[in-house]
């Protein structure tokens, strides 16, 4: 079956969605807005909700609604108004510590009854570094080395309680068994963590591990740890190559390729007719303010905004990928898109305004379903991150009109058959690594 996630972002992924007459420009900090979205997504039997995050103000607040709620806090609130849908939050390995983060996600998994997921990111950008006592962004390779150790420590912390450690034996006056705690006593290059965690092992064992980087270092991290990968791919051929490459990398890591699900993003503008869908897309693009967008593009490309003429193609002398320390894969995607389609800066801004490099698609529900099915059946995706350009209307259109088509084609569930996010993905609950070691030693 396909896996479908609802990627929620304010009032929509298109940067001008907040300017539509029906949009609430302050919804990004209103919990009732997100509760409504969560209920819509669960009505559609989607696998999960996904919230992006960064420890920095993303863009000029003149351009689009600024400021976002901390995602694990928001998802804890959404857990109370849903029963089945998964809850995935982004959190940085560069600007957190393993103990705090492992505790936060274990808590969310308990609160939700086993529906938590962690989107592992290393965080690009100089601005975030300056929020955390750093003068500059750590080098790309260093961030990924820290990320790998961060995940290792988190796994040890989540496994630091045996499943049977809590006893609750009232007659004996013994609440738990201290012999079934496994303090990691981790000493590594980046972290010294004694443990154990102060939260018992959670319903899923540990949260679903998600990863979103597509650089070489990002793909290596995903091959070792990720159970789902969110990616941005523009063409079927590029998506197929990424899919094959990442699945191949799991085998040297000792993993079954089927235990890693690859989910490209798609931004579907949906209309009753193709003309209606394109009219929505055109209306949104007209509402983009190019002066803000050009500044953001210049920052991404590491050039002066004055070098970007709105009515000309990108300059020929852009920095090479080897000169980029942050968001390498996104930089490459943007430049490749612009060069391949010979887009002017104005046209490129329009494309990025809709999905920040993710695939945009305007069409009828049948056409959107066809596009999803083609990539799924062609070995380009195990499912999709659905990124509605406008919320809540775009999510309602997808759930009410696209999902039923996918269900009729036998591609998507008609009811939830499990209770945890891992069960939605067809993944087993992981065994405790310390219990495995003790079992092996006893034999």
């Amino acid at each position: 079956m396909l896996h479908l996630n609802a990627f929620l972002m304010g009032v929509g992924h298109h940067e001008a969605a907040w300017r539509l007459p029906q949009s609430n420009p302050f919804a990004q900090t209103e919990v009732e807005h997100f509760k409504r979205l969560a209920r819509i997504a669960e009505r559609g039997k989607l696998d999960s909700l996904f919230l992006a995050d960064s420890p920095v103000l993303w863009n000029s607040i003149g351009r689009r609604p600024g400021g976002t709620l901390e995602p694990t806090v928001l998802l804890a609130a959404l857990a109370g108004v849903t029963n089945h849908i998964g809850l995935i939050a982004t959190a940085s390995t560069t600007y957190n510590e393993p103990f705090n983060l492992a505790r936060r996600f274990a808590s969310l998994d308990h609160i939700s009854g086993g529906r938590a997921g962690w989107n592992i990111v290393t965080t690009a950008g100089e601005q975030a570094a300056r929020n955390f006592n750093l003068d500059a962004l750590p080098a790309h390779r260093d961030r990924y080395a820290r990320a790998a150790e961060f995940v290792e420590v988190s796994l040890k912390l989540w496994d630091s309680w045996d499943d049977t450690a809590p006893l609750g034996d009232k007659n004996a006056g013994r609440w738990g068994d201290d012999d079934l705690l496994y303090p990691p006593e981790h000493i590594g290059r980046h972290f010294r963590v004694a443990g154990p965690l102060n939260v018992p092992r959670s319903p899923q064992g540990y949260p679903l591990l998600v990863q979103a980087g597509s650089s070489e270092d990002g793909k290596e991290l995903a091959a070792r740890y990720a159970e789902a990968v969110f990616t941005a791919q523009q063409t079927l051929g590029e998506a197929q190559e990424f899919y094959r490459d990442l699945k191949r990398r799991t085998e040297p890591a000792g993993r079954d390729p089927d235990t890693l699900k690859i989910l490209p993003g798609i931004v579907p503008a949906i209309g009753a007719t193709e003309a209606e869908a394109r009219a929505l897309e055109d209306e949104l693009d007209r509402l983009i303010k190019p002066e803000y967008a050009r500044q953001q593009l210049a920052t991404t490309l590491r050039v002066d905004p004055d070098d970007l003429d709105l009515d000309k193609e990108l300059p020929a002398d852009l920095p090479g990928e080897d000169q980029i320390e942050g968001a390498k894969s996104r930089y490459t995607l943007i430049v490749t898109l612009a060069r391949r389609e010979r887009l002017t800066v104005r046209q490129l801004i329009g494309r990025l305004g809709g999905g920040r490099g993710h695939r945009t698609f305007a069409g009828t529900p049948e056409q959107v379903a066809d596009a999803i099915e083609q990539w799924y059946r062609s070995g380009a995706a195990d499912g999709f991150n659905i990124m509605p350009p406008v919320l809540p209307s775009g999510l309602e259109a997808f759930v009410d009109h696209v999902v039923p088509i996918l269900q009729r084609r036998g591609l998507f569930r008609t009811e939830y058959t499990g209770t945890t996010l891992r069960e939605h993905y067809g993944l087993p609950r992981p065994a405790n690594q310390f219990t495995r070691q003790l079992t092996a030693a006893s034999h």
Side-chain angles (χ1 to χ4, degrees):
M1 289 284 178
L2 278 164
H3 299 287
L4 299 174
N5 298 304
F7 182 171
L8 307 182
M9 180 173 282
V11 292
H13 283 269
H14 197 287
E15 69 174 73
W18 69 276
R19 298 186 66 193
L20 293 174
Q22 68 268 31
S23 292
N24 172 5
F26 307 109
Q28 81 277 5
T29 54
E30 295 182 2
V31 70
E32 291 304 320
H33 169 71
F34 287 97
K35 286 180 179 179
R36 178 182 177 187
L37 296 176
R39 293 186 184 104
I40 293 168
E42 186 163 79
R43 174 160 53 82
K45 317 302 178 189
L46 272 58
D47 292 69
S48 69
L49 308 172
F50 167 56
L51 298 177
D53 193 50
S54 181
V56 66
L57 186 62
W58 268 338
N59 47 251
S60 163
I61 63 170
R63 180 181 181 184
R64 65 185 301 170
T68 54
L69 299 173
E70 199 285 323
T72 56
V73 173
L74 177 55
L75 289 177
L78 301 186
V81 297
T82 56
N83 296 305
H84 299 284
I85 197 162
L87 307 164
I88 300 174
T90 298
S92 173
T93 57
T94 305
Y95 305 115
N96 280 294
E97 288 292 321
F99 192 96
N100 287 346
L101 200 64
R103 184 188 188 198
R104 199 184 312 161
F105 277 98
S107 298
L108 180 60
D109 207 46
H110 277 287
I111 289 168
S112 64
R115 295 187 278 141
W118 172 26
N119 180 40
I120 304 161
V121 299
T122 63
T123 306
E126 298 287 344
Q127 289 176 302
R130 293 195 290 271
N131 288 339
F132 292 87
N133 301 309
L134 298 173
D135 294 325
L137 176 70
H140 187 272
R141 187 165 293 276
D142 291 343
R143 295 201 315 277
Y144 274 94
R146 177 186 165 97
E149 187 178 343
F150 196 116
V151 176
E152 283 293 334
V153 177
S154 299
L155 291 170
K156 290 178 181 178
L157 288 166
W158 287 322
D159 284 346
S160 63
W161 287 60
D162 192 272
D163 285 319
T164 60
L167 300 174
D169 190 338
K170 295 181 180 180
N171 292 330
R174 190 179 183 216
W175 185 86
D177 187 342
D178 287 297
D179 291 335
L180 295 178
L181 297 180
Y182 313 120
E185 301 292 353
H186 177 90
I187 300 175
R189 176 184 169 193
H190 298 91
F191 305 107
R192 294 167 59 91
V193 181
L197 196 63
N198 57 351
V199 181
R201 199 161 191 256
S202 70
Q204 291 189 108
Y206 53 81
L208 184 83
L209 299 181
V210 183
Q211 197 267 348
S214 297
S215 66
E216 284 301 303
D217 291 327
K219 287 188 283 190
E220 284 302 310
L221 185 72
R224 289 172 63 186
Y225 301 110
E227 294 159 307
V229 171
F230 296 157
T231 180
Q233 305 294 331
Q234 284 285 330
T235 69
L236 177 61
E238 290 168 347
Q240 288 171 321
E241 177 51 37
F242 179 85
Y243 187 95
R244 288 191 296 265
D245 180 34
L246 200 49
K247 295 278 186 172
R248 278 196 302 263
R249 293 173 189 246
T250 60
E251 295 183 19
R255 298 182 56 198
D256 179 350
D258 289 339
T259 61
L260 185 152
K261 312 297 182 182
I262 298 175
L263 311 172
I266 185 170
V267 186
I270 302 169
T273 64
E274 186 175 347
E276 185 179 300
R278 295 199 179 280
L280 170 61
E281 194 173 52
D282 290 344
E283 180 183 12
L284 288 165
D285 288 348
R286 282 195 301 272
L287 293 173
I288 292 175
K289 298 203 69 168
E291 58 267 34
Y292 290 128
R294 185 172 70 161
Q295 177 64 55
Q296 180 65 35
L297 181 61
T299 300
T300 301
L301 299 179
R302 310 297 195 271
V303 299
D304 190 295
D306 291 339
D307 294 336
L308 299 178
D309 187 318
L310 286 172
D311 296 310
K312 292 183 179 179
E313 295 180 27
L314 292 180
D317 56 344
L318 292 175
E321 187 182 310
D322 58 338
Q323 298 173 260
I324 303 298
E325 277 299 337
K328 282 179 179 285
S329 58
R330 191 54 53 92
Y331 173 89
T332 301
L333 185 150
I334 290 170
V335 174
T336 300
L337 169 65
R339 302 283 195 226
R340 181 180 61 239
E341 300 190 20
R342 306 200 55 155
L343 300 174
T344 65
V345 170
R346 192 186 303 276
Q347 290 169 328
L348 180 60
I349 284 170
R351 294 287 288 276
L352 298 178
R356 304 178 309 286
H358 290 275
R359 184 187 182 201
T360 57
F361 188 93
T364 64
E366 195 83 24
Q367 288 171 323
V368 173
D370 289 345
I372 288 172
E373 181 174 3
Q374 182 193 22
W375 279 39
Y376 175 65
R377 293 196 184 280
S378 300
D382 295 306
F384 286 86
N385 230 6
I386 306 304
M387 303 167 58
V390 182
L391 289 168
S393 60
L395 183 59
E396 286 178 315
F398 186 84
V399 162
D400 293 339
H401 302 294
V402 179
V403 166
I405 296 171
L406 297 172
Q407 290 171 331
R408 288 196 296 271
R409 296 180 185 181
L411 295 171
F412 194 62
R413 69 173 66 85
T414 55
E415 294 294 340
Y416 289 107
T417 56
T419 59
T420 71
L421 181 51
R422 290 184 172 279
E423 288 173 327
H424 298 344
Y425 274 87
L427 297 173
R429 186 177 189 269
N432 188 308
Q433 60 184 295
F434 298 112
T435 304
R436 287 200 308 265
Q437 291 169 10
L438 292 171
T439 302
S442 67
H443 288 81

